[in-house]
Amino acid sequence: MSEKLSFVNPTANSPWGTYLSQVDRVVPYLGPLARWVETLKRPKRALIVDVPIEMDDGTIAHFEGYRVQHNMSRGPGKGGVRFHPDVTLEEVMALSAWMTIKTAAVNLPYGGAKGGIRVDPKKLSLQELEKVTRRYTSEIGIIIGPHTDIPAPDVNTNAQIMAWMMDTYSMNVGGTATGVVTGKPLHLGGSLGRVKATGRGVFVTGREAARRLGLDLRGARIAVQGFGNVGSVAAELFAEAGAKIVAVQDHTGTIVNTNGLDLAKLVPISRTDGVVGFKAGGDIVPNEDFWDVACDILIPAALEGQLTAERAKKTTAKLVLEGANGPTVPEADDILAERGVLVVPDVICNAGGVTVSYFEWVQDFSSFFWDEDEINVRLDRIMMNALNQIWDTADKHKISLRTATYAVACERILMARQERGLYP
Ligand code: NAD
């Protein structure tokens, strides 16, 4: 956050600043609804909480936690919880705002929210991790709930953490509230297909974008940054479709193999040792070299702000699929557009996760669970309908897919705002 603590004064090059400039670009396409656009430039509500826990060695540690509800015009808040040592309020604000745009872009009946704790979970024991999760959940319990704001997994959080969150919230309200979080384990009201949903959505939108570009996936060279839940699943699906995964980067380093990495071996090794653990399968190269590797498709699936102007100038990719939230800075967006590189923006490309989270929430309320085929068919249909509508909007106005996605989403959000009116 900038010196003057304010929603509208972003720190230079911050994700929140990126988001605000993305909103500015859509204003000319909003018509009379533009009078409401300021409501998108500030979160509805931002909560900062202290998370104190007793560590295994008897010391008391304090962590800073956040939950931001950006916009709830179209429904309850929805968005993940991130555990990372660099999490800031300003980052969570941006992530919550991107959720508002994303849920509207795929037309789910949600607003946008996000949470995070400034902690390195890799430095905690399992017991400490559980304590941090439970205390954080209890602190944000005053604003979350199945009908108000529904958290989910994000970077460094998973189904076990969602189970602890669901249990803590349930204990506090006296009942079993499965619908308070999504991304839960299957036997606690989780949904089939949720773990792979985001990577699958990246694949479905990427396959369609490649088809429209005339880019054959068989033999296409793909570079993937971030090899967690999103990046590894997307990589596997593209490899199944015949593509070659020529470079992968995670927090441990970068591995390159121009003949294609053997994912059946790389995926399990990466889970324990990171991608550099698979030395036998490729060359370990300096991290900056990742952006020079010759490829047809680039999938940033790690953190925001990774695709900078410099990197945008040198990538050889014809298609960028934003698995991560906010990976491309606005200047890089312009450079990619000038160079004729098509970007499928995060707010549609990685919307598969929140879509199956929506299915999970619906299934929890009805206590009736669907099989995986049904989930995947519905997911593919929603993603394809959303992408086609956005593509038509982009063609009509001759604008980027990102601005078209914002145009479609902002119209839905601001129309809801206008119809609801301002209280009081
Ligand atoms: P994850 O924790 O499963 O994986 C994150 C990956 O990024 C790991 O491979 C990690 O090693 C790598 N990474 C971290 N720091 C890095 C760095 N500095 N350089 C290179 N790699 C780095 O997280 P995830 O769920 O796969 O999320 C990845 C991105 O996708 C995030 O931007 C997240 O917000 C977004 N996203 C996730 C979901 C979801 O359902 N999980 C949904 C939508 C968007």
Side-chain angles (χ1 to χ4, degrees):
M1 189 67 68
S2 64
E3 284 162 33
K4 272 196 292 170
L5 185 74
S6 159
F7 290 151
V8 286
N9 286 311
T11 308
N13 302 321
S14 69
W16 180 246
T18 297
Y19 165 75
L20 291 180
S21 73
Q22 290 166 343
V23 171
D24 282 338
R25 287 177 184 209
V26 83
V27 173
Y29 307 98
L30 293 178
L33 286 173
R35 71 186 275 256
W36 293 97
V37 81
E38 279 294 310
T39 61
L40 293 169
K41 291 189 170 185
R42 47 202 87 214
K44 174 184 175 63
R45 188 177 284 136
L47 180 66
I48 308 180
V49 295
D50 176 34
V51 183
I53 63 154
E54 186 176 354
M55 303 292 278
D56 293 349
D57 65 5
T59 57
I60 308 297
H62 290 260
F63 302 97
E64 202 164 293
Y66 314 96
R67 185 74 189 170
V68 177
Q69 295 171 342
H70 173 259
N71 190 292
M72 293 170 152
S73 299
R74 301 179 62 259
K78 187 87 194 80
V81 174
R82 176 175 295 193
F83 289 1
H84 196 280
D86 299 333
V87 166
T88 63
L89 174 61
E90 208 178 355
E91 180 188 36
V92 178
M93 278 162 52
L95 291 165
S96 70
W98 284 323
M99 288 307 299
T100 301
I101 304 294
K102 194 182 304 181
T103 54
V106 279
N107 214 2
L108 305 178
Y110 289 133
K114 202 86 179 192
I117 308 180
R118 210 173 159 77
V119 61
D120 186 351
K122 294 184 182 73
K123 293 190 177 145
L124 299 181
S125 69
L126 193 64
Q127 200 186 353
E128 290 165 344
L129 184 65
E130 179 173 352
K131 282 185 190 173
V132 163
T133 304
R134 286 187 182 277
R135 182 60 189 254
Y136 167 73
T137 308
S138 195
E139 292 298 335
I140 65 164
I142 54 173
I143 60 167
I144 63 167
H147 296 287
T148 48
D149 180 3
I150 306 112
D154 190 70
V155 173
N156 290 329
T157 54
N158 55 25
Q160 175 60 76
I161 288 172
M162 293 307 115
W164 290 328
M165 289 187 75
M166 186 278 266
D167 183 70
T168 305
Y169 180 85
S170 296
M171 290 296 111
N172 285 348
V173 297
T176 297
T178 51
V180 69
V181 290
T182 56
K184 298 179 296 293
L186 276 183
H187 47 277
L188 287 180
S191 176
L192 291 166
R194 173 61 185 89
V195 174
K196 296 198 164 185
T198 308
R200 188 178 171 87
V202 172
F203 172 70
V204 170
T205 52
R207 181 182 56 192
E208 174 63 11
R211 188 189 68 76
R212 289 184 183 236
L213 283 182
L215 177 65
D216 193 348
L217 284 186
R218 283 164 304 174
R221 300 159 301 170
I222 303 189
V224 185
Q225 188 205 32
F227 208 56
N229 177 275
V230 180
S232 67
V233 171
E236 283 176 324
L237 291 170
F238 277 109
E240 272 171 34
K244 281 193 295 189
I245 310 301
V246 291
V248 172
Q249 181 179 93
D250 71 359
H251 69 285
T252 65
T254 303
I255 186 164
V256 174
N257 185 335
T258 50
N259 295 319
L261 289 153
D262 182 348
L263 294 191
K265 292 188 178 136
L266 175 61
V267 171
I269 290 175
S270 71
R271 290 206 180 111
T272 49
D273 304 337
V275 299
V276 298
F278 190 43
K279 287 187 187 68
D283 300 323
I284 308 299
V285 303
N287 275 341
E288 200 49 37
D289 291 2
F290 171 83
W291 307 95
D292 298 319
V293 174
C295 65
D296 303 299
I297 302 176
L298 174 64
I299 308 182
L303 298 171
E304 56 273 6
Q306 295 296 307
L307 193 42
T308 58
E310 278 314 303
R311 292 168 177 173
K313 278 179 202 155
K314 56 187 186 176
T315 184
T316 56
K318 302 172 194 75
L319 177 60
V320 174
L321 305 176
E322 293 189 336
N325 285 307
T328 310
V329 303
E331 202 188 341
D333 237 353
D334 294 339
I335 292 166
L336 293 170
E338 275 162 26
R339 297 188 57 217
V341 181
L342 182 73
V343 178
V344 182
D346 49 4
V347 279
I348 175 73
C349 191
N350 70 30
V354 71
T355 303
V356 177
S357 273
Y358 166 60
F359 297 162
E360 177 175 336
W361 184 71
V362 168
Q363 291 171 87
D364 286 341
F365 278 124
S366 60
S367 296
F368 179 77
F369 291 86
W370 314 340
D371 65 33
E372 192 157 357
D373 284 346
E374 188 170 356
I375 303 249
N376 287 338
V377 167
R378 286 178 193 253
L379 171 63
D380 292 6
R381 193 188 308 141
I382 286 180
M383 298 290 292
M384 285 299 294
N385 284 346
L387 186 67
N388 287 334
Q389 185 178 6
I390 286 159
W391 216 294
D392 290 347
T393 305
D395 284 347
K396 183 172 150 201
H397 296 296
K398 310 240 174 311
I399 52 179
S400 69
L401 284 183
R402 189 183 317 279
T403 302
T405 310
Y406 274 66
V408 170
C410 291
E411 189 182 331
R412 287 184 182 139
I413 301 159
L414 299 180
M415 184 63 83
R417 181 71 274 149
Q418 178 166 279
E419 284 167 348
R420 286 177 68 157
L422 277 186
Y423 173 88

